Amino acid sequence: MELFDQRFLDALLREFRETMRKLLGDLCDDLEQHYVRATASLGLPVGYFRLVGASLPQESFSGWKVVGWIEELNDLVYFIDLQEQLEREQDPRGFAEAFFAECEEQFYENSYKDELFPTGLPQARGFSSRLSRLCTKLAQHVTQEALFLVPGLPCAWLRRTGRRVWRVPCDLSPDFEQGVGRGCLSVGLDGAFCQLPRLLPRPLLGPWRKAMWWVRPSGICLQIGRDEFPVLDYGSSLRWRWTYHPPEPVSGARTGKLTIGPSLIYSKDKVPIRIGATPADFPPRVQQALAILEQAWPEGAGLFAALTSRLVPLRARGVVSFSYRHRPGLSFINCFDRDDLDLIDDLIHENSHHHLNLLLRKYVLYRGDRNLEMFYSPWRRSLRPIRGILHAAFTFTMGAMLFERLSSWASGVDNQALRRVGLSARDVLRARFRCLEEIESVRYSIQDLEYAARRLGWLTGSGKRLVAMLAAEISKVERKMMPYKQAVLRSKYGPALRRHVKELRRARKTYGPVRLREV
């Protein structure tokens, strides 16, 4: 395991792509061989899923679009199997209670638990019906996703199989997980979308559950009642009939594959409510951030280029930037109440989540699900499970490395040159404060992780090696930051840094090393 070696990372990505391609084939085999009845009742086009997999470029199997689709298909097969188990179960109540506990461990990133147990309790009554509705919803979504991953492919499939028409339920409600607005159709692999024509009669915008995609060898249309609205013509060439919005690239990005999506807008209650236009200043801000990163930390810029492919601006007060495990490369970045230094930090932070998630697909780092919230988090100031502490220690070590590289690089650049790239002397001072702050926090959590490995036996050999690498890296960062520490303590950030250290000392006295008898 070589955390910061580009060749190691490239090899890991190649292996991940092969794993996802194989998973798709295995899921199709399961549906055809073990779940024939459910496959038929849900109308799952397994042969078409196989064709999609064979038509996708190899590199797409590590991207947010394809991985998200395969992961959702995997979830569907899991729930189909659960449904068949439930039909044979002699104790439905006990089954529901056991699965409720399993949801706590497995589905912490999505809404499955809320859909299956809407009261927040392991309610057995109606569980079978709720599970059936979830399977239907997932089946419709993965099929619609498959329709437009490779534009025109379903029409070619019909020509190949001799079928005249294929009907698929349509859903054009907003998909906040992918940053797609209401009435928009996500197409391709990179964030392009087609927008519903404004001439569509407004009364038809409501009952999407009655709308269907009609796929023919000559194209695809949306049918609502007796009305048809052409979407795609498939002949000698492919032509979209709806307004097509290509993905917006970031000029100057190292790989040329980084794109920016529209904004995800939240309500005051911190709930996503709609998709809005991309802020005009966001693409140039990202371009500037990447230029600074390239100069100050070329290795970090290389990691970013390999792992992040799409950014969605996030407009929400009090909601930090985030990403999903099953959407590698897709980062939601809060840029509305964050300055340029914060933007660089957020880009690296979410990229670090993608990095660790990739490692977690290769290596087992901790034993069991370990969802117990028992380790104090210096960042959240609350108790977190070992999974959360591991993610935090990894991502904030990367953050400390970023701030150290910015600090060291800026020491050789005059103020005028800094201003030209978008930073100020004040930004550099804050970067040094943030670095020292992260050093203290990461050291605190590494002590807990070492305790979990040594005394509780929760970390595997790979997990221990990862923690040792983080400890070694944070020690390097600390040595390089020593020349700047006294200046930070004398600055306006001095009281905050001293206060942070005192808080961590109090937390250590309060929570201490977690004793085995307390587990």
PDB file of all heavy atoms in Angstrom, residues 375-384 388-389 392-393 396 437-448 500 503-505 507-508 511:
ATOM      1  N   PHE A 375     -15.684   6.845  19.785  1.00  0.00           N
ATOM      2  CA  PHE A 375     -14.419   7.576  19.719  1.00  0.00           C
ATOM      3  C   PHE A 375     -14.715   9.059  19.507  1.00  0.00           C
ATOM      4  O   PHE A 375     -15.491   9.431  18.622  1.00  0.00           O
ATOM      5  CB  PHE A 375     -13.553   7.062  18.574  1.00  0.00           C
ATOM      6  CG  PHE A 375     -13.164   5.612  18.706  1.00  0.00           C
ATOM      7  CD1 PHE A 375     -13.870   4.626  18.048  1.00  0.00           C
ATOM      8  CD2 PHE A 375     -12.094   5.245  19.507  1.00  0.00           C
ATOM      9  CE1 PHE A 375     -13.515   3.296  18.164  1.00  0.00           C
ATOM     10  CE2 PHE A 375     -11.729   3.919  19.635  1.00  0.00           C
ATOM     11  CZ  PHE A 375     -12.448   2.933  18.972  1.00  0.00           C
ATOM     12  N   TYR A 376     -14.070   9.913  20.297  1.00  0.00           N
ATOM     13  CA  TYR A 376     -14.296  11.354  20.185  1.00  0.00           C
ATOM     14  C   TYR A 376     -13.677  11.886  18.894  1.00  0.00           C
ATOM     15  O   TYR A 376     -12.521  11.606  18.575  1.00  0.00           O
ATOM     16  CB  TYR A 376     -13.693  12.077  21.385  1.00  0.00           C
ATOM     17  CG  TYR A 376     -13.843  13.571  21.325  1.00  0.00           C
ATOM     18  CD1 TYR A 376     -15.061  14.175  21.626  1.00  0.00           C
ATOM     19  CD2 TYR A 376     -12.774  14.388  20.953  1.00  0.00           C
ATOM     20  CE1 TYR A 376     -15.207  15.555  21.567  1.00  0.00           C
ATOM     21  CE2 TYR A 376     -12.908  15.765  20.901  1.00  0.00           C
ATOM     22  CZ  TYR A 376     -14.119  16.344  21.206  1.00  0.00           C
ATOM     23  OH  TYR A 376     -14.270  17.705  21.136  1.00  0.00           O
ATOM     24  N   SER A 377     -14.460  12.666  18.148  1.00  0.00           N
ATOM     25  CA  SER A 377     -13.979  13.290  16.922  1.00  0.00           C
ATOM     26  C   SER A 377     -13.611  14.737  17.199  1.00  0.00           C
ATOM     27  O   SER A 377     -14.481  15.536  17.578  1.00  0.00           O
ATOM     28  CB  SER A 377     -15.051  13.233  15.829  1.00  0.00           C
ATOM     29  OG  SER A 377     -14.693  14.081  14.750  1.00  0.00           O
ATOM     30  N   PRO A 378     -12.348  15.116  17.031  1.00  0.00           N
ATOM     31  CA  PRO A 378     -11.954  16.517  17.248  1.00  0.00           C
ATOM     32  C   PRO A 378     -12.614  17.472  16.265  1.00  0.00           C
ATOM     33  O   PRO A 378     -12.648  18.681  16.521  1.00  0.00           O
ATOM     34  CB  PRO A 378     -10.434  16.497  17.029  1.00  0.00           C
ATOM     35  CG  PRO A 378     -10.024  15.072  17.211  1.00  0.00           C
ATOM     36  CD  PRO A 378     -11.195  14.262  16.710  1.00  0.00           C
ATOM     37  N   TRP A 379     -13.096  16.969  15.143  1.00  0.00           N
ATOM     38  CA  TRP A 379     -13.681  17.828  14.121  1.00  0.00           C
ATOM     39  C   TRP A 379     -15.171  18.035  14.364  1.00  0.00           C
ATOM     40  O   TRP A 379     -15.664  19.136  14.257  1.00  0.00           O
ATOM     41  CB  TRP A 379     -13.434  17.229  12.734  1.00  0.00           C
ATOM     42  CG  TRP A 379     -11.973  17.097  12.461  1.00  0.00           C
ATOM     43  CD1 TRP A 379     -11.135  18.070  11.997  1.00  0.00           C
ATOM     44  CD2 TRP A 379     -11.153  15.945  12.688  1.00  0.00           C
ATOM     45  NE1 TRP A 379      -9.845  17.582  11.901  1.00  0.00           N
ATOM     46  CE2 TRP A 379      -9.818  16.284  12.310  1.00  0.00           C
ATOM     47  CE3 TRP A 379     -11.407  14.643  13.146  1.00  0.00           C
ATOM     48  CZ2 TRP A 379      -8.770  15.384  12.397  1.00  0.00           C
ATOM     49  CZ3 TRP A 379     -10.356  13.741  13.239  1.00  0.00           C
ATOM     50  CH2 TRP A 379      -9.048  14.113  12.866  1.00  0.00           C
ATOM     51  N   ARG A 380     -15.870  16.977  14.698  1.00  0.00           N
ATOM     52  CA  ARG A 380     -17.307  17.092  14.956  1.00  0.00           C
ATOM     53  C   ARG A 380     -17.613  17.380  16.416  1.00  0.00           C
ATOM     54  O   ARG A 380     -18.747  17.694  16.759  1.00  0.00           O
ATOM     55  CB  ARG A 380     -18.016  15.808  14.526  1.00  0.00           C
ATOM     56  CG  ARG A 380     -17.909  15.535  13.034  1.00  0.00           C
ATOM     57  CD  ARG A 380     -19.005  14.611  12.590  1.00  0.00           C
ATOM     58  NE  ARG A 380     -18.896  14.294  11.159  1.00  0.00           N
ATOM     59  CZ  ARG A 380     -19.851  13.710  10.462  1.00  0.00           C
ATOM     60  NH1 ARG A 380     -20.987  13.381  11.043  1.00  0.00           N
ATOM     61  NH2 ARG A 380     -19.686  13.457   9.185  1.00  0.00           N
ATOM     62  N   ARG A 381     -16.617  17.186  17.273  1.00  0.00           N
ATOM     63  CA  ARG A 381     -16.789  17.369  18.720  1.00  0.00           C
ATOM     64  C   ARG A 381     -17.921  16.490  19.257  1.00  0.00           C
ATOM     65  O   ARG A 381     -18.745  16.919  20.064  1.00  0.00           O
ATOM     66  CB  ARG A 381     -17.026  18.844  19.059  1.00  0.00           C
ATOM     67  CG  ARG A 381     -15.817  19.729  18.791  1.00  0.00           C
ATOM     68  CD  ARG A 381     -16.063  21.162  19.229  1.00  0.00           C
ATOM     69  NE  ARG A 381     -14.857  21.959  19.160  1.00  0.00           N
ATOM     70  CZ  ARG A 381     -14.432  22.585  18.083  1.00  0.00           C
ATOM     71  NH1 ARG A 381     -15.137  22.492  16.967  1.00  0.00           N
ATOM     72  NH2 ARG A 381     -13.313  23.277  18.086  1.00  0.00           N
ATOM     73  N   SER A 382     -17.950  15.272  18.763  1.00  0.00           N
ATOM     74  CA  SER A 382     -18.938  14.295  19.215  1.00  0.00           C
ATOM     75  C   SER A 382     -18.348  12.910  19.025  1.00  0.00           C
ATOM     76  O   SER A 382     -17.274  12.755  18.435  1.00  0.00           O
ATOM     77  CB  SER A 382     -20.243  14.441  18.408  1.00  0.00           C
ATOM     78  OG  SER A 382     -20.006  14.171  17.031  1.00  0.00           O
ATOM     79  N   LEU A 383     -19.035  11.900  19.530  1.00  0.00           N
ATOM     80  CA  LEU A 383     -18.553  10.534  19.398  1.00  0.00           C
ATOM     81  C   LEU A 383     -18.895   9.980  18.016  1.00  0.00           C
ATOM     82  O   LEU A 383     -19.987  10.210  17.501  1.00  0.00           O
ATOM     83  CB  LEU A 383     -19.168   9.649  20.486  1.00  0.00           C
ATOM     84  CG  LEU A 383     -18.779  10.006  21.924  1.00  0.00           C
ATOM     85  CD1 LEU A 383     -19.440   9.042  22.911  1.00  0.00           C
ATOM     86  CD2 LEU A 383     -17.265  10.004  22.115  1.00  0.00           C
ATOM     87  N   ARG A 384     -17.945   9.225  17.451  1.00  0.00           N
ATOM     88  CA  ARG A 384     -18.105   8.676  16.111  1.00  0.00           C
ATOM     89  C   ARG A 384     -17.651   7.219  16.096  1.00  0.00           C
ATOM     90  O   ARG A 384     -16.834   6.804  16.932  1.00  0.00           O
ATOM     91  CB  ARG A 384     -17.250   9.476  15.107  1.00  0.00           C
ATOM     92  CG  ARG A 384     -17.630  10.931  14.984  1.00  0.00           C
ATOM     93  CD  ARG A 384     -18.855  11.079  14.106  1.00  0.00           C
ATOM     94  NE  ARG A 384     -18.492  10.784  12.718  1.00  0.00           N
ATOM     95  CZ  ARG A 384     -19.333  10.356  11.792  1.00  0.00           C
ATOM     96  NH1 ARG A 384     -20.585  10.140  12.098  1.00  0.00           N
ATOM     97  NH2 ARG A 384     -18.919  10.138  10.548  1.00  0.00           N
ATOM     98  N   GLY A 388     -15.838   6.372  10.913  1.00  0.00           N
ATOM     99  CA  GLY A 388     -15.798   7.827  10.786  1.00  0.00           C
ATOM    100  C   GLY A 388     -14.460   8.406  11.215  1.00  0.00           C
ATOM    101  O   GLY A 388     -13.956   9.352  10.593  1.00  0.00           O
ATOM    102  N   ILE A 389     -13.870   7.840  12.276  1.00  0.00           N
ATOM    103  CA  ILE A 389     -12.573   8.334  12.737  1.00  0.00           C
ATOM    104  C   ILE A 389     -11.489   8.030  11.709  1.00  0.00           C
ATOM    105  O   ILE A 389     -10.602   8.847  11.449  1.00  0.00           O
ATOM    106  CB  ILE A 389     -12.220   7.710  14.097  1.00  0.00           C
ATOM    107  CG1 ILE A 389     -13.250   8.142  15.163  1.00  0.00           C
ATOM    108  CG2 ILE A 389     -10.820   8.103  14.523  1.00  0.00           C
ATOM    109  CD1 ILE A 389     -13.326   9.639  15.398  1.00  0.00           C
ATOM    110  N   ALA A 392     -11.855  10.473   8.900  1.00  0.00           N
ATOM    111  CA  ALA A 392     -11.424  11.810   9.321  1.00  0.00           C
ATOM    112  C   ALA A 392      -9.899  11.886   9.411  1.00  0.00           C
ATOM    113  O   ALA A 392      -9.285  12.851   8.932  1.00  0.00           O
ATOM    114  CB  ALA A 392     -12.061  12.157  10.664  1.00  0.00           C
ATOM    115  N   ALA A 393      -9.276  10.878  10.019  1.00  0.00           N
ATOM    116  CA  ALA A 393      -7.820  10.905  10.153  1.00  0.00           C
ATOM    117  C   ALA A 393      -7.149  10.929   8.785  1.00  0.00           C
ATOM    118  O   ALA A 393      -6.155  11.640   8.578  1.00  0.00           O
ATOM    119  CB  ALA A 393      -7.347   9.693  10.956  1.00  0.00           C
ATOM    120  N   PHE A 396      -8.106  14.480   6.904  1.00  0.00           N
ATOM    121  CA  PHE A 396      -7.502  15.668   7.514  1.00  0.00           C
ATOM    122  C   PHE A 396      -5.978  15.572   7.556  1.00  0.00           C
ATOM    123  O   PHE A 396      -5.313  16.607   7.668  1.00  0.00           O
ATOM    124  CB  PHE A 396      -8.106  15.916   8.894  1.00  0.00           C
ATOM    125  CG  PHE A 396      -9.511  16.462   8.810  1.00  0.00           C
ATOM    126  CD1 PHE A 396     -10.605  15.650   9.058  1.00  0.00           C
ATOM    127  CD2 PHE A 396      -9.737  17.779   8.437  1.00  0.00           C
ATOM    128  CE1 PHE A 396     -11.902  16.136   8.964  1.00  0.00           C
ATOM    129  CE2 PHE A 396     -11.031  18.281   8.338  1.00  0.00           C
ATOM    130  CZ  PHE A 396     -12.119  17.459   8.597  1.00  0.00           C
ATOM    131  N   GLU A 437      -3.499  23.255  13.538  1.00  0.00           N
ATOM    132  CA  GLU A 437      -4.737  22.774  14.144  1.00  0.00           C
ATOM    133  C   GLU A 437      -5.011  21.319  13.740  1.00  0.00           C
ATOM    134  O   GLU A 437      -5.353  20.473  14.583  1.00  0.00           O
ATOM    135  CB  GLU A 437      -5.888  23.682  13.703  1.00  0.00           C
ATOM    136  CG  GLU A 437      -7.225  23.380  14.343  1.00  0.00           C
ATOM    137  CD  GLU A 437      -8.305  24.317  13.826  1.00  0.00           C
ATOM    138  OE1 GLU A 437      -8.364  24.533  12.588  1.00  0.00           O
ATOM    139  OE2 GLU A 437      -9.084  24.819  14.642  1.00  0.00           O
ATOM    140  N   GLU A 438      -4.811  21.022  12.450  1.00  0.00           N
ATOM    141  CA  GLU A 438      -5.062  19.659  11.969  1.00  0.00           C
ATOM    142  C   GLU A 438      -4.039  18.673  12.529  1.00  0.00           C
ATOM    143  O   GLU A 438      -4.374  17.506  12.784  1.00  0.00           O
ATOM    144  CB  GLU A 438      -5.043  19.617  10.436  1.00  0.00           C
ATOM    145  CG  GLU A 438      -6.079  20.477   9.738  1.00  0.00           C
ATOM    146  CD  GLU A 438      -7.523  20.107  10.073  1.00  0.00           C
ATOM    147  OE1 GLU A 438      -7.751  19.334  11.033  1.00  0.00           O
ATOM    148  OE2 GLU A 438      -8.416  20.608   9.395  1.00  0.00           O
ATOM    149  N   ILE A 439      -2.817  19.107  12.706  1.00  0.00           N
ATOM    150  CA  ILE A 439      -1.808  18.232  13.294  1.00  0.00           C
ATOM    151  C   ILE A 439      -2.269  17.747  14.668  1.00  0.00           C
ATOM    152  O   ILE A 439      -2.203  16.550  14.987  1.00  0.00           O
ATOM    153  CB  ILE A 439      -0.453  18.957  13.407  1.00  0.00           C
ATOM    154  CG1 ILE A 439       0.159  19.154  12.012  1.00  0.00           C
ATOM    155  CG2 ILE A 439       0.512  18.182  14.313  1.00  0.00           C
ATOM    156  CD1 ILE A 439       1.358  20.081  11.998  1.00  0.00           C
ATOM    157  N   GLU A 440      -2.752  18.674  15.494  1.00  0.00           N
ATOM    158  CA  GLU A 440      -3.223  18.298  16.833  1.00  0.00           C
ATOM    159  C   GLU A 440      -4.410  17.337  16.743  1.00  0.00           C
ATOM    160  O   GLU A 440      -4.473  16.345  17.485  1.00  0.00           O
ATOM    161  CB  GLU A 440      -3.629  19.561  17.613  1.00  0.00           C
ATOM    162  CG  GLU A 440      -2.512  20.555  17.856  1.00  0.00           C
ATOM    163  CD  GLU A 440      -1.434  20.008  18.794  1.00  0.00           C
ATOM    164  OE1 GLU A 440      -1.739  19.086  19.591  1.00  0.00           O
ATOM    165  OE2 GLU A 440      -0.301  20.506  18.748  1.00  0.00           O
ATOM    166  N   SER A 441      -5.352  17.616  15.856  1.00  0.00           N
ATOM    167  CA  SER A 441      -6.550  16.779  15.744  1.00  0.00           C
ATOM    168  C   SER A 441      -6.215  15.385  15.221  1.00  0.00           C
ATOM    169  O   SER A 441      -6.709  14.375  15.739  1.00  0.00           O
ATOM    170  CB  SER A 441      -7.565  17.450  14.813  1.00  0.00           C
ATOM    171  OG  SER A 441      -7.980  18.694  15.330  1.00  0.00           O
ATOM    172  N   VAL A 442      -5.377  15.339  14.171  1.00  0.00           N
ATOM    173  CA  VAL A 442      -5.024  14.042  13.599  1.00  0.00           C
ATOM    174  C   VAL A 442      -4.259  13.201  14.610  1.00  0.00           C
ATOM    175  O   VAL A 442      -4.508  11.996  14.757  1.00  0.00           O
ATOM    176  CB  VAL A 442      -4.210  14.225  12.303  1.00  0.00           C
ATOM    177  CG1 VAL A 442      -3.636  12.883  11.830  1.00  0.00           C
ATOM    178  CG2 VAL A 442      -5.093  14.825  11.205  1.00  0.00           C
ATOM    179  N   ARG A 443      -3.334  13.818  15.355  1.00  0.00           N
ATOM    180  CA  ARG A 443      -2.588  13.080  16.373  1.00  0.00           C
ATOM    181  C   ARG A 443      -3.537  12.489  17.422  1.00  0.00           C
ATOM    182  O   ARG A 443      -3.350  11.360  17.884  1.00  0.00           O
ATOM    183  CB  ARG A 443      -1.560  13.988  17.044  1.00  0.00           C
ATOM    184  CG  ARG A 443      -0.307  14.200  16.210  1.00  0.00           C
ATOM    185  CD  ARG A 443       0.860  14.625  17.092  1.00  0.00           C
ATOM    186  NE  ARG A 443       2.103  14.664  16.348  1.00  0.00           N
ATOM    187  CZ  ARG A 443       2.828  13.606  16.022  1.00  0.00           C
ATOM    188  NH1 ARG A 443       2.385  12.403  16.355  1.00  0.00           N
ATOM    189  NH2 ARG A 443       3.959  13.726  15.361  1.00  0.00           N
ATOM    190  N   TYR A 444      -4.539  13.246  17.799  1.00  0.00           N
ATOM    191  CA  TYR A 444      -5.523  12.756  18.775  1.00  0.00           C
ATOM    192  C   TYR A 444      -6.204  11.492  18.247  1.00  0.00           C
ATOM    193  O   TYR A 444      -6.298  10.478  18.944  1.00  0.00           O
ATOM    194  CB  TYR A 444      -6.558  13.856  19.060  1.00  0.00           C
ATOM    195  CG  TYR A 444      -7.584  13.468  20.109  1.00  0.00           C
ATOM    196  CD1 TYR A 444      -7.448  13.929  21.413  1.00  0.00           C
ATOM    197  CD2 TYR A 444      -8.665  12.650  19.802  1.00  0.00           C
ATOM    198  CE1 TYR A 444      -8.371  13.574  22.387  1.00  0.00           C
ATOM    199  CE2 TYR A 444      -9.585  12.292  20.766  1.00  0.00           C
ATOM    200  CZ  TYR A 444      -9.440  12.757  22.049  1.00  0.00           C
ATOM    201  OH  TYR A 444     -10.353  12.396  23.018  1.00  0.00           O
ATOM    202  N   SER A 445      -6.686  11.548  17.003  1.00  0.00           N
ATOM    203  CA  SER A 445      -7.425  10.416  16.458  1.00  0.00           C
ATOM    204  C   SER A 445      -6.523   9.226  16.153  1.00  0.00           C
ATOM    205  O   SER A 445      -6.955   8.074  16.257  1.00  0.00           O
ATOM    206  CB  SER A 445      -8.192  10.846  15.200  1.00  0.00           C
ATOM    207  OG  SER A 445      -9.282  11.672  15.551  1.00  0.00           O
ATOM    208  N   ILE A 446      -5.284   9.487  15.775  1.00  0.00           N
ATOM    209  CA  ILE A 446      -4.359   8.380  15.532  1.00  0.00           C
ATOM    210  C   ILE A 446      -4.121   7.608  16.831  1.00  0.00           C
ATOM    211  O   ILE A 446      -4.026   6.374  16.828  1.00  0.00           O
ATOM    212  CB  ILE A 446      -3.043   8.892  14.923  1.00  0.00           C
ATOM    213  CG1 ILE A 446      -3.278   9.211  13.428  1.00  0.00           C
ATOM    214  CG2 ILE A 446      -1.928   7.860  15.068  1.00  0.00           C
ATOM    215  CD1 ILE A 446      -2.081   9.783  12.722  1.00  0.00           C
ATOM    216  N   GLN A 447      -4.057   8.307  17.957  1.00  0.00           N
ATOM    217  CA  GLN A 447      -3.923   7.609  19.241  1.00  0.00           C
ATOM    218  C   GLN A 447      -5.104   6.665  19.477  1.00  0.00           C
ATOM    219  O   GLN A 447      -4.924   5.533  19.939  1.00  0.00           O
ATOM    220  CB  GLN A 447      -3.822   8.620  20.388  1.00  0.00           C
ATOM    221  CG  GLN A 447      -2.505   9.382  20.432  1.00  0.00           C
ATOM    222  CD  GLN A 447      -2.475  10.407  21.549  1.00  0.00           C
ATOM    223  OE1 GLN A 447      -3.355  10.420  22.419  1.00  0.00           O
ATOM    224  NE2 GLN A 447      -1.475  11.276  21.533  1.00  0.00           N
ATOM    225  N   ASP A 448      -6.311   7.119  19.147  1.00  0.00           N
ATOM    226  CA  ASP A 448      -7.484   6.257  19.312  1.00  0.00           C
ATOM    227  C   ASP A 448      -7.446   5.080  18.348  1.00  0.00           C
ATOM    228  O   ASP A 448      -7.820   3.955  18.705  1.00  0.00           O
ATOM    229  CB  ASP A 448      -8.764   7.068  19.093  1.00  0.00           C
ATOM    230  CG  ASP A 448      -9.134   7.904  20.317  1.00  0.00           C
ATOM    231  OD1 ASP A 448      -8.564   7.649  21.402  1.00  0.00           O
ATOM    232  OD2 ASP A 448      -9.989   8.801  20.187  1.00  0.00           O
ATOM    233  N   HIS A 500      -7.905  25.207  21.088  1.00  0.00           N
ATOM    234  CA  HIS A 500      -8.107  23.897  20.464  1.00  0.00           C
ATOM    235  C   HIS A 500      -7.303  22.823  21.186  1.00  0.00           C
ATOM    236  O   HIS A 500      -7.813  21.722  21.460  1.00  0.00           O
ATOM    237  CB  HIS A 500      -7.692  23.966  18.987  1.00  0.00           C
ATOM    238  CG  HIS A 500      -7.879  22.689  18.239  1.00  0.00           C
ATOM    239  ND1 HIS A 500      -9.110  22.103  18.033  1.00  0.00           N
ATOM    240  CD2 HIS A 500      -6.962  21.857  17.633  1.00  0.00           C
ATOM    241  CE1 HIS A 500      -8.962  20.989  17.340  1.00  0.00           C
ATOM    242  NE2 HIS A 500      -7.665  20.817  17.095  1.00  0.00           N
ATOM    243  N   GLU A 503      -8.992  22.011  24.443  1.00  0.00           N
ATOM    244  CA  GLU A 503     -10.200  21.206  24.240  1.00  0.00           C
ATOM    245  C   GLU A 503      -9.857  19.735  24.030  1.00  0.00           C
ATOM    246  O   GLU A 503     -10.534  18.838  24.548  1.00  0.00           O
ATOM    247  CB  GLU A 503     -10.990  21.737  23.035  1.00  0.00           C
ATOM    248  CG  GLU A 503     -11.701  23.051  23.296  1.00  0.00           C
ATOM    249  CD  GLU A 503     -12.351  23.618  22.038  1.00  0.00           C
ATOM    250  OE1 GLU A 503     -12.173  23.009  20.963  1.00  0.00           O
ATOM    251  OE2 GLU A 503     -13.015  24.663  22.137  1.00  0.00           O
ATOM    252  N   LEU A 504      -8.786  19.492  23.269  1.00  0.00           N
ATOM    253  CA  LEU A 504      -8.381  18.104  23.033  1.00  0.00           C
ATOM    254  C   LEU A 504      -7.869  17.458  24.310  1.00  0.00           C
ATOM    255  O   LEU A 504      -8.118  16.262  24.559  1.00  0.00           O
ATOM    256  CB  LEU A 504      -7.315  18.044  21.943  1.00  0.00           C
ATOM    257  CG  LEU A 504      -7.768  18.446  20.531  1.00  0.00           C
ATOM    258  CD1 LEU A 504      -6.626  18.307  19.540  1.00  0.00           C
ATOM    259  CD2 LEU A 504      -8.955  17.594  20.083  1.00  0.00           C
ATOM    260  N   ARG A 505      -7.196  18.215  25.154  1.00  0.00           N
ATOM    261  CA  ARG A 505      -6.745  17.663  26.434  1.00  0.00           C
ATOM    262  C   ARG A 505      -7.927  17.326  27.334  1.00  0.00           C
ATOM    263  O   ARG A 505      -7.933  16.287  28.010  1.00  0.00           O
ATOM    264  CB  ARG A 505      -5.818  18.666  27.128  1.00  0.00           C
ATOM    265  CG  ARG A 505      -4.438  18.782  26.465  1.00  0.00           C
ATOM    266  CD  ARG A 505      -3.618  19.890  27.090  1.00  0.00           C
ATOM    267  NE  ARG A 505      -2.305  20.006  26.448  1.00  0.00           N
ATOM    268  CZ  ARG A 505      -1.493  21.031  26.618  1.00  0.00           C
ATOM    269  NH1 ARG A 505      -1.848  22.043  27.420  1.00  0.00           N
ATOM    270  NH2 ARG A 505      -0.325  21.065  25.999  1.00  0.00           N
ATOM    271  N   ALA A 507     -10.918  16.579  26.257  1.00  0.00           N
ATOM    272  CA  ALA A 507     -11.574  15.415  25.662  1.00  0.00           C
ATOM    273  C   ALA A 507     -10.846  14.130  26.018  1.00  0.00           C
ATOM    274  O   ALA A 507     -11.470  13.104  26.313  1.00  0.00           O
ATOM    275  CB  ALA A 507     -11.650  15.577  24.142  1.00  0.00           C
ATOM    276  N   ARG A 508      -9.510  14.181  26.028  1.00  0.00           N
ATOM    277  CA  ARG A 508      -8.740  12.983  26.369  1.00  0.00           C
ATOM    278  C   ARG A 508      -9.006  12.572  27.814  1.00  0.00           C
ATOM    279  O   ARG A 508      -9.142  11.377  28.128  1.00  0.00           O
ATOM    280  CB  ARG A 508      -7.256  13.249  26.143  1.00  0.00           C
ATOM    281  CG  ARG A 508      -6.365  12.066  26.402  1.00  0.00           C
ATOM    282  CD  ARG A 508      -6.729  10.885  25.519  1.00  0.00           C
ATOM    283  NE  ARG A 508      -6.353  11.090  24.130  1.00  0.00           N
ATOM    284  CZ  ARG A 508      -6.873  10.402  23.116  1.00  0.00           C
ATOM    285  NH1 ARG A 508      -7.809   9.493  23.341  1.00  0.00           N
ATOM    286  NH2 ARG A 508      -6.500  10.632  21.877  1.00  0.00           N
ATOM    287  N   TYR A 511     -12.843  11.214  27.730  1.00  0.00           N
ATOM    288  CA  TYR A 511     -13.123   9.966  27.014  1.00  0.00           C
ATOM    289  C   TYR A 511     -11.973   8.962  27.132  1.00  0.00           C
ATOM    290  O   TYR A 511     -12.206   7.748  27.106  1.00  0.00           O
ATOM    291  CB  TYR A 511     -13.418  10.258  25.537  1.00  0.00           C
ATOM    292  CG  TYR A 511     -14.581  11.192  25.361  1.00  0.00           C
ATOM    293  CD1 TYR A 511     -14.387  12.533  25.041  1.00  0.00           C
ATOM    294  CD2 TYR A 511     -15.882  10.739  25.556  1.00  0.00           C
ATOM    295  CE1 TYR A 511     -15.453  13.404  24.902  1.00  0.00           C
ATOM    296  CE2 TYR A 511     -16.954  11.601  25.422  1.00  0.00           C
ATOM    297  CZ  TYR A 511     -16.738  12.934  25.093  1.00  0.00           C
ATOM    298  OH  TYR A 511     -17.791  13.789  24.957  1.00  0.00           O
TER     299      TYR A 511
END
